[in-house]
Amino acid sequence: MIRCSSIDKIMTKPQAKSAEWSETAKSAMMETVREILFGVRKNLDDVQAIQKGRACEDAGIQLYNDVFLYDLKKIESDGRRNNGIITGEPDLVAAHSKKGVDIKVAWSLLTFPLCAEDADKKGYEWQARGYMCLFDLPEWEIAYCAIDTPEEILKPWDDRTIHVIDSAIPAHHRITVARYTRDMDIEKEMLEKCAKANLWIEDAVKEFANEHDKYIA
C-alpha cells in the first residue's frame, strides 16, 4: 500500500503527456518494490532536520496544545490505518472536534514558515488528504513549530542564533498552521491513482522474480 507520506510523489504529473507516471512517481514506487523484496527502506537518520523532527515532536505537540488550548495526545503506536490502497499513521486526531493534526518541527528560524500560504506545501497537503480519508475526518491541519534545536544535533559550524528561540517570542508566534478541507473529488482521483500504483508495484515485483529466475533456469 502507498504511504500517505508518499502520495505527493505518486500524484506528480509526468512531463510527457503520453506518459502515465512521472519519474518521481516511478522512483517512489521502486522504493516500495525494494522494501517488499528485501525488507529495507531508505535511512534518513543522519539527516539533521529528520533527527530534530523526531527529537522535538513532543515539544511541538505541547506548543500546539498550549497555543490552541487543547490536550491532544500522540496516537499510540498501533494507530496506523489502511484501506487497502493507502496507509498512514498521523500524529494527532481530535475526535471531538472532527479534525486531525500533523506536527512539523522547523529545522531553524530561517525555514519556519511565517504564514499559512508559506506552510501550504503540496507534499503535505496530499499527506493530509490521505489521513482525512483514512480517519474519515472533514479537516486536517499541518502545524509547523519553531522549537529550540537540541545541542547534540547541531554541528560545531551550525549558526546557533537561528536554532535557539528568543524567550521574548510569544508561543503563538512560534506556530504556523496550514488547514485543509476534505474534498471527495480530489480524494477519488487520489485513490484511483494510488490503486494503479499498487498494481504497478505488484507487477514490478513479479517482473523482478521472472527476470532473475532466468539466471538459474
Side-chain angles (χ1 to χ4, degrees):
M1 286 172 286
I2 303 300
R3 290 185 175 87
C4 287
S5 58
S6 297
I7 293 176
D8 66 308
K9 299 180 180 66
I10 301 300
M11 299 302 294
T12 54
K13 304 292 185 184
Q15 290 186 340
K17 292 183 178 180
S18 59
E20 181 174 13
W21 301 103
S22 69
E23 293 304 313
T24 298
K26 287 191 284 188
S27 178
M29 292 187 290
M30 286 305 292
E31 285 185 15
T32 302
V33 171
R34 192 178 301 276
E35 181 179 358
I36 292 171
L37 291 171
F38 306 124
V40 297
R41 292 182 63 190
K42 186 178 294 184
N43 188 346
L44 299 175
D45 288 344
D46 58 343
V47 179
Q48 285 176 284
I50 300 296
Q51 292 176 348
K52 179 177 180 178
R54 291 171 178 166
C56 299
E57 185 179 50
D58 288 343
I61 292 172
Q62 188 59 56
L63 177 62
Y64 182 93
N65 284 334
D66 290 345
V67 170
F68 296 107
L69 303 179
Y70 274 93
D71 186 24
L72 302 184
K73 304 255 187 329
K74 184 169 174 60
I75 292 177
E76 298 298 326
S77 58
D78 61 351
R80 177 170 292 277
R81 291 192 182 185
N82 77 79
N83 60 4
I85 300 174
I86 60 175
T87 180
E89 185 177 6
D91 293 330
L92 307 164
V93 171
H96 65 284
S97 59
K98 297 293 183 181
K99 71 173 181 179
V101 183
D102 225 39
I103 301 294
K104 305 295 183 186
V105 178
W107 166 237
S108 74
L109 289 173
L110 293 182
T111 63
F112 172 65
L114 300 181
C115 61
E117 183 179 359
D118 289 341
D120 182 14
K121 295 179 172 61
K122 201 65 180 175
Y124 291 148
E125 178 184 350
W126 282 117
Q127 186 177 31
R129 294 198 181 282
Y131 289 152
M132 283 188 281
C133 174
L134 291 174
F135 286 81
D136 192 23
L137 292 173
E139 294 182 1
W140 206 274
E141 295 179 356
I142 304 292
Y144 293 81
C145 302
I147 304 289
D148 285 354
T149 304
E151 182 62 30
E152 60 270 20
I153 292 176
L154 295 173
K155 306 296 185 185
W157 53 84
D158 285 322
D159 182 0
R160 267 62 179 171
T161 64
I162 63 173
H163 287 282
V164 178
I165 311 301
D166 190 325
S167 60
I169 300 176
H172 64 287
H173 287 184
R174 296 193 288 112
I175 189 166
T176 301
V177 179
R179 294 182 172 88
Y180 302 102
T181 301
R182 192 174 185 183
D183 184 310
M184 300 308 291
D185 290 333
I186 295 176
E187 188 171 303
K188 180 175 181 290
E189 177 188 2
M190 175 187 74
L191 291 176
E192 288 176 350
K193 193 73 172 179
C194 288
K196 290 180 180 179
N198 284 322
L199 292 176
W200 190 98
I201 290 166
E202 290 178 14
D203 287 344
V205 171
K206 292 175 184 177
E207 181 60 28
F208 175 89
N210 290 337
E211 180 176 328
H212 286 74
D213 286 350
K214 292 176 184 177
Y215 299 162
I216 57 174

